[in-house]
C-alpha cells in the first residue's frame, strides 16, 4: 500500500511515480484474474463455473483493469488521464481527484441502498443450514433440454436430483437466486424474497450474497479503491467454485470434485467453507461501506469550501 502526503486541502496526494506503480500492479493482478475468460473468448470454450463472473455480472475485464485510488486521494501530475475513463474526476491545481460530491449527488439513492443492504446483512445472524439447495431448486423437475447449464450435465439422475430437493427444507433468502427457481420449486421455499424486502432478508451465510459484494462494489465506480474491487472479485470467484461444487452439476470436467450436500459429510464440508466465506464477505462489506463513508465525508468537505 502506498502512503501519500496530506495536502493542505485535506486530500492524500500520491506523486506520479507512486500512483503509476500501484496502477501497474493493479493491472497485472487484474490481467491474471481475467486471463482464463479472455482466452475462452478467443477459443470458444466454456467454463460454467468461472464464466458466470463475466456473464451474470456483466463487468468487462477492461473495467476490472481500471484502477481507482478511491475518494479523497489526489493523483499528482494526472492531468493527461483520458477523461472518458475518469468521468467522475475533476482537475486540481496539481492533478486529478475523484469528484465525490458529484458522484454522491448523482447516485445518492444507490449509495443509500448499498450501505443499508451491506450493513444490515453483516449485522444479521448468518444462517448455515441452506446447504446450497438453491442450485438444486433451479433444476427441479426439469427436462434435459431445460437445464440451465447445457454444457455441464447433472451428476445424479433427474429423479434423484428431484428427490434431494424434496427431502430437504428449502429456505433461500436471496432474491436473485430465488427468482431462478423452477415453477414447481417456488412453493417449496420457506421464504418469499423480493427486491423490496432484500435488505430485511439478506444474510451473510448466503453464498450469492457474498458474491454480490462484488456487484455492489462495481456500482460504486471510482469510490472503491482498486485493491478492494479485486478482493471482491476474488471472493466471488472462490465462492462460485463452492456454489457449483455443491450444485447438482457434474463439475469434474473443470477439475473439481463434488461437495455432495445430499450426504452428511458433504453438508459438513459445505458449512465449513460457508463459515469462512461469511467472515471474508463481512470484512469486504465493511470496507465497501467505509468507502461510501469516505466519499460522503469528501462531499461534505467540498461543500464546506464552496463560497457562501
Amino acid at each position: 500500500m502506498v502512503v501519500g502526503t496530506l495536502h493542505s486541502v485535506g486530500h492524500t496526494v500520491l506523486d506520479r511515480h507512486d500512483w503509476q506503480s500501484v496502477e501497474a500492479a493493479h493491472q497485472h493482478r487484474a490481467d491474471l484474474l481475467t486471463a482464463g475468460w479472455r482466452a475462452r473468448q478467443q477459443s470458444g470454450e466454456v467454463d460454467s463455473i468461472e464464466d458466470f463472473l463475466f456473464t451474470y455480472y456483466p463487468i468487462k475485464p477492461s473495467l476490472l483493469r481500471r484502477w481507482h485510488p478511491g475518494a479523497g486521494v489526489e493523483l499528482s501530475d494526472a492531468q493527461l488521464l483520458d477523461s472518458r475513463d475518469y468521468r467522475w474526476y475533476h482537475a486540481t491545481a496539481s492533478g486529478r481527484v475523484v469528484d465525490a460530491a458529484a458522484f454522491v449527488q448523482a447516485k445518492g439513492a444507490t449509495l443509500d441502498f448499498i450501505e443499508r443492504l451491506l450493513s444490515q446483512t453483516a449485522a444479521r445472524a448468518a444462517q448455515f443450514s441452506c446447504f446450497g439447495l438453491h442450485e438444486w431448486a433451479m433444476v427441479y423437475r426439469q427436462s434435459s433440454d431445460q437445464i440451465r447449464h447445457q454444457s455441464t450435465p447433472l451428476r445424479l439422475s433427474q429423479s434423484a436430483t428431484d428427490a434431494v430437493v424434496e427431502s430437504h427444507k428449502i429456505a433461500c433468502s436471496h432474491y436473485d437466486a430465488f427468482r431462478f427457481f423452477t415453477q414447481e420449486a417456488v412453493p417449496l421455499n420457506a421464504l418469499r424474497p423480493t427486491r423490496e424486502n432484500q435488505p430485511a432478508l439478506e444474510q451473510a451465510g448466503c453464498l450469492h450474497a457474498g458474491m454480490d459484494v462484488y456487484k455492489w462494489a462495481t456500482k460504486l465506480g471510482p469510490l472503491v479503491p482498486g485493491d478492494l474491487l479485486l478482493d471482491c472479485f476474488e471472493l466471488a470467484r472462490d465462492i462460485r467454485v463452492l456454489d457449483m461444487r455443491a450444485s447438482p452439476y457434474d463439475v469434474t470436467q473443470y477439475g473439481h470434485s463434488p461437495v455432495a450436500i445430499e450426504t452428511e459429510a458433504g453438508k459438513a464440508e459445505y458449512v465449513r467453507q460457508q463459515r469462512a466465506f461469511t467472515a471474508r464477505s463481512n470484512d469486504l462489506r465493511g470496507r465497501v461501506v467505509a468507502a461510501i463513508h469516505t466519499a460522503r465525508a469528501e462531499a461534505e468537505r467540498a461543500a464546506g469550501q464552496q463560497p457562501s
Side-chain angles (χ1 to χ4, degrees), residues 284-299:
L284 292 177
R285 287 183 181 95
R287 290 168 63 190
V288 172
V289 169
I292 294 174
H293 290 172
T294 297
R296 287 205 173 107
E298 283 295 305

Side-chain angles (χ1 to χ4, degrees), residues 132-140 165 170 180-183 185-186 248:
L133 285 160
H134 58 278
E135 290 288 345
W136 298 71
M138 293 178 192
V139 300
Y140 181 60
V165 175
I170 312 294
F180 290 107
F181 279 27
T182 66
Q183 185 176 358
V186 167

Side-chain angles (χ1 to χ4, degrees), residues 100-112:
F103 196 98
V104 169
Q105 182 177 15
K107 298 181 179 290
T110 298
L111 268 64
D112 290 344

Side-chain angles (χ1 to χ4, degrees), residues 56-114:
Y56 180 75
Y57 301 116
I59 307 301
K60 296 179 180 179
S62 59
L63 290 178
L64 274 175
R65 199 174 192 271
R66 188 172 303 153
W67 173 76
H68 296 287
V73 179
E74 182 175 334
L75 304 180
S76 182
D77 298 324
Q79 294 91 336
L80 297 181
L81 290 176
D82 191 332
S83 60
R84 293 171 298 179
D85 292 340
Y86 294 86
R87 173 188 172 193
W88 295 105
Y89 283 70
H90 68 80
T92 66
S94 58
R96 285 183 182 269
V97 67
V98 172
D99 192 343
F103 196 98
V104 169
Q105 182 177 15
K107 298 181 179 290
T110 298
L111 268 64
D112 290 344
F113 177 82
I114 293 173

Side-chain angles (χ1 to χ4, degrees), residues 163-208:
V164 171
V165 175
E166 292 162 357
S167 63
H168 288 79
K169 178 182 178 181
I170 312 294
C172 180
S173 58
H174 187 68
Y175 169 68
D176 285 313
F178 178 64
R179 67 189 177 95
F180 290 107
F181 279 27
T182 66
Q183 185 176 358
E184 293 82 0
V186 167
L188 303 179
N189 197 40
L191 302 172
R192 289 294 178 271
T194 65
R195 184 68 70 207
E196 291 70 28
N197 67 18
Q198 188 172 11
L201 285 183
E202 202 90 304
Q203 48 85 24
C206 170
L207 295 193
H208 278 261

Side-chain angles (χ1 to χ4, degrees), residues 226-303:
D227 62 332
L228 174 54
L229 177 64
L230 295 187
D231 286 350
C232 291
F233 178 86
E234 285 186 339
L235 175 65
R237 177 201 61 188
D238 295 347
I239 290 177
R240 176 61 177 170
V241 173
L242 176 61
D243 191 43
M244 287 296 283
R245 288 182 65 201
S247 78
Y249 294 101
D250 182 354
V251 294
T252 55
Q253 64 179 301
Y254 305 118
H256 297 289
S257 60
V259 175
I261 56 90
E262 68 273 21
T263 69
E264 290 305 312
K267 286 181 172 67
E269 176 59 18
Y270 184 90
V271 171
R272 183 189 69 80
Q273 293 193 45
Q274 187 182 26
R275 289 184 181 276
F277 287 138
T278 298
R280 284 176 64 185
S281 66
N282 275 341
D283 174 69
L284 292 177
R285 287 183 181 95
R287 290 168 63 190
V288 172
V289 169
I292 294 174
H293 290 172
T294 297
R296 287 205 173 107
E298 283 295 305
E300 291 174 3
R301 184 193 59 76

